Amino acid sequence: QLQASGGGLVQAGGSLRLSCAASGRPFSNYYMGWFRQAPGKEREFVAAVSRYGINTYYTDSVKDRFTISRDNAKNTVYLQMNSLKPEDTAVYYCARSTVITRTPAEYSGWGQGTLVTVSS
């Protein structure tokens, strides 16, 4: 199971750090990804990190603003979000995959997500 947390209401230009705690499976066996889904839109890839945190991947709209990282000792993946914009407003989900991919269908373990609202 994966449980995302850390969302909230923030003004544009502000920061939030999301956390995703994993349980039930060997955490370091999996690539971890963050996705988001805004109202009326499809779920989209945000960022992913390789099994030991060496390689990271981002969608273009968050590059240089968001940072994904993981702590395998704590079975947790993080998403540091800086310079937030109103268009970042969405429910953010974490998930795991056995391959490095941006495709939601390749991921599993979706939890409830955490809502991020950025006001202008």
Side-chain angles (χ1 to χ4, degrees):
Q1 287 284 35
L2 300 173
Q3 181 61 54
S5 62
L9 173 64
V10 63
Q11 288 188 333
S15 298
L16 283 174
R17 188 175 84 151
L18 306 183
S19 299
C20 173
S23 62
R25 300 190 182 191
F27 186 65
S28 60
N29 283 3
Y30 296 92
Y31 298 90
M32 296 299 297
W34 284 98
F35 292 78
R36 65 188 180 187
Q37 188 166 17
K41 295 188 176 182
E42 293 186 352
R43 191 167 298 186
E44 66 169 350
F45 171 82
V46 176
V49 60
S50 58
R51 292 180 296 168
Y52 294 97
I54 295 173
N55 297 310
T56 57
Y57 309 85
Y58 300 92
T59 192
D60 286 347
S61 63
V62 308
K63 280 180 181 177
D64 300 324
R65 298 189 299 123
F66 290 10
T67 302
I68 188 171
S69 62
R70 66 191 294 165
D71 185 339
N72 287 351
K74 296 182 178 179
N75 290 350
T76 302
V77 61
Y78 304 97
L79 186 67
Q80 177 66 43
M81 305 187 296
N82 299 328
S83 302
L84 282 161
K85 304 175 180 180
E87 51 263 44
D88 294 318
T89 295
V91 177
Y92 283 72
Y93 301 88
C94 59
R96 56 176 164 240
S97 177
T98 57
V99 297
I100 190 66
T101 176
R102 298 169 184 246
T103 305
E106 298 286 350
Y107 285 80
S108 62
W110 303 93
Q112 286 188 317
T114 185
L115 176 62
V116 173
T117 304
V118 184
S119 63
S120 57

